[in-house]
Amino acid sequence: MDYSYGTPVQFFPAIAGEFGLEIISLHAYTDGRRAVRTASEFRDAKRKLSSMVKSLGTSFGVILDASGEKIFLVDRSGEILSDTRATALIIGSRHRSGVLNSVTLPITASIELERYVKNQGVDVHWCSTLPRNIIHEATNTDAGADILGGFIFSRAVPFYDGMLSIGFLLETLAKTGEDLVALKQETPARDPSHLELPCPWESKGTIMRRMSELYRDTAEFVEGVKEREEDGYTLVLPDRDRPVLHIYSSYTTDERERDRLADAEKKIRSWME
């Protein structure tokens, strides 16, 4: 378990000890200078954890972020579970335990995750990607997920809690007698394709208005403009803090996903000329 140099290392080992587990700890001391990882450092941490899980033969691995809010999973085969797969696994397992029948998800959830959750019999409530909005909306459902490692179990604690997420995961593993390799079967693995497109601040409003007009009969407007199709969606989302547009594409096939992402990029670039 990688504690990410965060404060949870001061009390979570004692909590985990109540489960009678043998835990191999990484970065198990607090260091404010190293607690915030760059994207590159985070990728390296996941690869290192994957290698250790395989070489030591442990049941699974977890990265608990420095704030104790988010978790990232590695199964015993060394697979680093995608955000989509981890979300599907936890939501699905909690539903089968009979404690989760509805979930709040951001509009960036993949089409495959959406279908998987609904096929499990779980009602989906859509929300914007703002963390505070997910926290607020999750109070109206049994759980919420940001699909970035954060889970909210509203009936227990109404905010992101990585330690509680680990506890519920351990409960599921103990009750089912299965491991993550078994639980992940049939869960979707692919995250949506994502592109950041530089866009001047003064052009954002014009582009979003044109998107709204073009797809007004088929789009959803929870946040940005989400064009729905039978086999997936394309979402254009303006960045709140930078002169950038985010384009998400999620379809049932890789080829279709790439094509629709390229189409959206081409169209938006032509509007900026």
Side-chain angles (χ1 to χ4, degrees), residues 20-263:
L21 302 173
E22 293 183 12
I23 299 177
I24 299 171
S25 300
L26 301 174
H27 309 130
Y29 61 94
T30 57
D31 186 341
R33 295 169 300 176
R34 305 175 71 180
V36 179
R37 288 167 165 162
T38 65
S40 176
E41 290 171 338
F42 182 58
R43 287 192 297 269
D44 289 343
K46 289 194 287 187
R47 285 194 291 264
K48 180 178 179 180
L49 182 64
S50 171
S51 177
M52 291 193 67
V53 167
K54 287 191 293 183
S55 62
L56 296 174
T58 59
S59 299
F60 65 96
V62 182
I63 293 177
L64 177 64
D65 80 337
S67 67
E69 294 183 344
K70 299 189 177 189
I71 62 170
F72 306 91
L73 303 173
V74 174
D75 69 21
R76 62 178 169 81
S77 73
E79 179 187 339
I80 301 169
L81 271 59
S82 68
D83 294 328
T84 291
R85 171 156 276 173
T87 302
L89 186 152
I90 289 180
I91 291 174
S93 63
R94 296 302 291 170
H95 173 67
R96 289 190 294 276
S97 297
V99 296
L100 190 157
N101 294 303
S102 59
V103 65
T104 296
L105 294 177
I107 55 169
T108 50
S110 74
I111 187 65
E112 292 173 330
L113 175 60
E114 176 185 348
R115 291 182 177 180
Y116 173 82
V117 170
K118 289 182 176 179
N119 287 340
Q120 294 287 308
V122 177
D123 294 329
V124 177
H125 176 79
W126 296 110
C127 180
S128 76
T129 57
L130 277 171
R132 65 173 179 269
N133 287 352
I134 298 174
I135 292 171
H136 175 73
E137 296 296 331
T139 59
N140 300 315
T141 56
D142 295 326
D146 64 2
I147 320 182
L148 295 169
F151 297 92
I152 304 166
F153 299 99
S154 316
R155 309 308 181 208
V157 180
F159 47 79
Y160 296 112
D161 192 326
M163 292 177 287
L164 182 63
S165 301
I166 295 171
F168 281 151
L169 179 60
L170 292 172
E171 179 186 47
T172 297
L173 297 176
K175 285 183 176 179
T176 63
E178 297 180 325
D179 63 7
L180 295 189
V181 173
L183 289 175
K184 77 179 182 183
Q185 299 304 313
E186 301 183 1
T187 59
R190 291 191 304 127
D191 291 328
S193 295
H194 173 225
L195 171 71
E196 288 190 2
L197 186 62
C199 176
W201 286 106
E202 61 271 17
S203 299
K204 280 187 178 183
T206 300
I207 290 172
M208 297 310 298
R209 184 178 68 252
R210 294 189 70 169
M211 288 289 297
S212 300
E213 293 171 350
L214 184 61
Y215 301 113
R216 62 179 176 272
D217 296 328
T218 57
E220 297 174 1
F221 301 96
V222 175
E223 184 182 14
V225 179
K226 186 174 186 177
E227 180 198 357
R228 282 275 189 180
E229 299 180 86
E230 288 186 3
D231 58 340
Y233 72 80
T234 303
L235 168 67
V236 178
L237 194 63
D239 193 283
R240 304 177 194 91
D241 304 310
R242 297 179 297 150
V244 165
L245 291 176
H246 297 275
I247 307 175
Y248 293 88
S249 176
S250 180
Y251 288 82
T252 52
T253 66
D254 286 331
E255 182 179 4
R256 173 87 164 136
E257 191 165 294
R258 289 193 299 269
D259 289 345
R260 296 299 288 130
L261 187 69
D263 289 345

